[in-house]
Amino acid sequence: MPTPSPSPALTSKEISDWVRKLNYGTWKFQKSWSPLHVVDAEGCYFIDGQGKRYLDFSAQLMCVNLGHKNQAVIESIAAQARALPYIAPGYATEVRVDLSRLLLEVLPKGLEKFFFATSGTEANEAAFKIARMYTGKTKIIARYRSYHGSTTGSIAATGDPRRWAMEPAWKGNGVIFSPEVNCYDCPIKHTYPGCGIACADYLEHMIVNESDVAAVLVETVVGTNGVLVPPPEYFPRLRQICDRHGVLLITDEVMSGWGRTGKWFAIDHWNVVPDILVTAKGITSAYVPLGLCATTSKIAAYFEDHLFAHGHTYEAHPMTLAPAIATIHEMQRLKLVERAHELGGYLGEKLQALTKRHPSIGDVRGIGLFWAVELVKNRKKKQPFATYRDKIEGKPLLVDQVAGAMMKEGVCIQSWVSHFVIAPPLIITKSEIDTGVAALDRGLALADQQVET
Ligand SMILES: Cc1ncc(COP(=O)(O)O)c(C=O)c1O
């Protein structure tokens, strides 16, 4: 089928220029933005206005888990548009029942009541309000290496410097930060396993010394900030700590959910059930905007006699729910959770092998089809090529240079400060993994030249 073009008279350059002129480019100095004109996408590839194909090695923003243009999901959107494109959230619909019952099957057991939002950040906002209303407490303990979204509450809970623009006057109140779990570059200078998971103990110290803590908020596997996978003891310990102090555990699975780590949800690796789980992105393979805030029935019971003081016009929007059902069915039909587990080993080995050839690689870590390659000037000192401040100040970054070189070769990869996040669609094949890793291999020559000798 020919690709529909809304502006056939415009060249690719004109389309890029118009977008740049009339729209904001997110999280960047506007003068540095020159958006690539994209006309089509299929499977693990997208195609630019010149007809050039790019392997989508990070599934856009780690979200197109089914790959592009999955026909079953597309059909579900069309069918729902014909059946009932919109009805207010106060009404009951079959599509809502069908998705909710499917969620009971795939989510960690014990999460039994759902609020549907239209993004990860909104789902987090719902989680914070629910936690605060339920506990009657205010504070949320988040971690420095984290991203939870751009709206007022979520950006206040974001540990990374995307928060800084709101500090201090415009930042939402009530969030404090604990050290993250980072066994490669521990913020409190411990070494696993000798540390005895001191980062979790310190978090308990914070709960004890702060009054009024409603919840602990963690990305189950930290995403953009470097695919930080906690050691086996971390989540069971965190669960005990939260229970001991009557604090809720909120796990943000916006990026790590939906098969990405080789389980339906990353928390399943630790057999821990959070009080609230937040997710989005892969829930519809990003074809339509949907976020989910799932709670236990204990939390749900509280709101039987208390006002559930939250909502949106687009809550439980039928057009967002139908593709989530289709996405789950497609994941089951194609056995994508199992596939992410199996292919994750293959991708991990290939990335690990790069460390031998490239002195610029400090660490390779990951789980399932979710990996980070961290670059360092000096492997011994674990010194990155750039700091978070460099990123926020718009300084040119080496990782962006490497990603640019890979783009020229037709491989798109997400770069962030001094690492890459590799998270391809879960339908990726071994030979496509080979292509992506080979492009990274060549691109890293640029970084190797800048290693301190
Ligand atoms: C872990 C995590 N939480 C929340 C968000 C925010 O999601 P959204 O961009 O849909 O608001 C993101 C986005 O990347 C994320 O990675």
Side-chain angles (χ1 to χ4, degrees):
M1 232 178 41
T3 307
S5 168
S7 313
L10 298 178
T11 64
S12 279
K13 165 101 179 46
E14 286 165 341
I15 289 172
S16 175
D17 289 348
W18 274 114
V19 167
R20 196 199 167 307
K21 184 178 161 67
L22 298 178
N23 300 171
Y24 283 107
T26 54
W27 304 116
K28 44 174 68 70
F29 287 73
Q30 300 301 295
K31 67 179 179 195
S32 70
W33 192 35
S34 134
L36 180 71
H37 172 215
V38 171
V39 292
D40 200 358
E42 182 91 51
C44 290
Y45 295 87
F46 61 93
I47 298 156
D48 75 12
Q50 310 304 314
K52 181 172 168 180
R53 276 181 7 135
Y54 300 84
L55 176 66
D56 200 349
F57 215 28
S58 305
Q60 297 297 297
L61 298 175
M62 293 64 100
C63 56
V64 187
N65 290 6
L66 281 181
H68 297 276
K69 281 182 96 164
N70 176 290
Q71 288 305 307
V73 180
I74 291 171
E75 281 313 312
S76 74
I77 297 168
Q80 188 61 47
R82 281 191 294 269
L84 182 67
Y86 177 74
I87 197 79
Y91 295 101
T93 57
E94 198 169 342
V95 69
R96 196 166 173 172
V97 176
D98 289 349
L99 176 58
S100 300
R101 288 168 76 171
L102 264 180
L103 290 173
L104 291 176
E105 275 177 40
V106 299
L107 282 165
K109 297 286 160 267
L111 295 170
E112 291 165 346
K113 191 121 170 173
F114 312 121
F115 176 87
F116 298 103
T118 46
S119 60
T121 195
E122 280 183 351
N124 270 320
E125 298 283 353
F128 306 159
K129 280 177 73 175
I130 289 170
R132 284 168 170 160
M133 289 187 280
Y134 172 74
T135 60
K137 297 179 183 164
T138 315
K139 288 182 187 165
I140 289 172
I141 301 183
R143 301 180 306 188
Y144 280 111
R145 281 263 199 144
S146 69
Y147 180 68
H148 295 290
S150 59
T151 52
T152 303
S154 304
I155 199 68
T158 287
D160 87 24
R162 279 172 280 190
R163 185 190 76 251
W164 293 354
M166 290 296 108
E167 293 275 12
W170 304 306
K171 198 185 93 170
N173 288 326
V175 180
I176 46 176
F177 293 100
S178 72
E180 54 275 0
V181 54
N182 180 353
C183 298
Y184 169 65
D185 190 11
C186 176
I188 47 174
K189 306 290 175 226
H190 284 42
T191 309
Y192 177 79
C195 62
I197 321 295
C199 53
D201 290 344
Y202 187 75
L203 206 147
E204 180 165 30
H205 179 71
M206 290 178 71
I207 294 175
V208 171
N209 285 282
E210 293 283 341
S211 67
D212 199 31
V213 178
V216 168
L217 167 72
V218 291
E219 281 179 75
T220 316
V221 170
V222 169
T224 316
N225 284 286
V227 192
L228 302 170
V229 185
E233 304 89 331
Y234 185 78
F235 273 111
R237 177 82 63 87
L238 203 53
R239 181 68 274 182
Q240 282 170 359
I241 291 170
C242 287
D243 288 344
R244 202 157 37 238
H245 299 283
V247 166
L248 299 183
L249 176 61
I250 305 175
T251 52
D252 179 338
E253 297 243 10
V254 169
M255 200 177 278
S256 62
W258 305 104
R260 173 59 55 206
T261 67
K263 298 266 188 194
W264 277 97
F265 292 89
I267 196 71
D268 296 334
H269 288 282
W270 289 273
N271 289 320
V272 161
V273 180
D275 300 288
I276 302 179
L277 184 147
V278 171
T279 189
K281 291 193 190 263
I283 188 170
T284 60
S285 229
Y287 288 19
V288 297
L290 177 64
L292 170 71
C293 173
T295 80
T296 59
S297 33
K298 191 169 169 205
I299 293 177
Y302 171 83
F303 291 102
E304 290 299 315
D305 294 318
H306 295 86
L307 178 68
F308 184 81
H310 195 53
H312 303 289
T313 303
Y314 296 151
E315 202 266 334
H317 193 300
M319 293 295 293
T320 66
L321 305 184
I325 296 171
T327 298
I328 295 172
H329 284 151
E330 280 297 89
M331 287 185 63
Q332 289 168 329
R333 183 180 72 82
L334 298 166
K335 298 194 170 30
L336 292 186
V337 179
E338 296 83 347
R339 188 183 175 85
H341 172 69
E342 283 158 27
L343 280 183
Y346 182 76
L347 172 59
E349 270 172 32
K350 296 222 53 152
L351 293 172
Q352 295 286 2
L354 295 181
T355 19
K356 293 198 195 87
R357 282 201 295 288
H358 297 286
S360 57
I361 295 183
D363 195 30
V364 170
R365 54 180 176 264
I367 185 168
L369 283 173
F370 200 19
W371 286 82
V373 173
E374 184 151 342
L375 302 189
V376 286
K377 266 190 222 166
N378 185 316
R379 210 179 248 181
K380 234 189 197 153
K381 293 187 196 153
K382 300 183 178 176
Q383 193 187 351
F385 280 102
T387 63
Y388 273 60
R389 189 164 289 285
D390 294 336
K391 167 89 185 160
I392 284 311
E393 289 177 355
K395 297 208 174 122
L397 302 180
L398 180 73
V399 281
D400 293 342
Q401 243 181 290
V402 175
M406 291 175 68
M407 219 32 199
K408 281 198 185 124
E409 287 202 29
V411 175
C412 179
I413 194 172
Q414 285 293 338
S415 50
W416 179 251
V417 185
S418 197
H419 63 257
F420 303 99
V421 177
I422 297 150
L426 308 184
I427 59 166
I428 196 164
T429 62
K430 282 189 176 171
S431 90
E432 287 163 341
I433 288 177
D434 293 348
T435 303
V437 174
L440 178 61
D441 192 4
R442 287 188 289 275
L444 286 173
L446 282 169
D448 292 341
Q449 288 159 13
Q450 298 195 31
V451 164
E452 283 175 3
T453 46

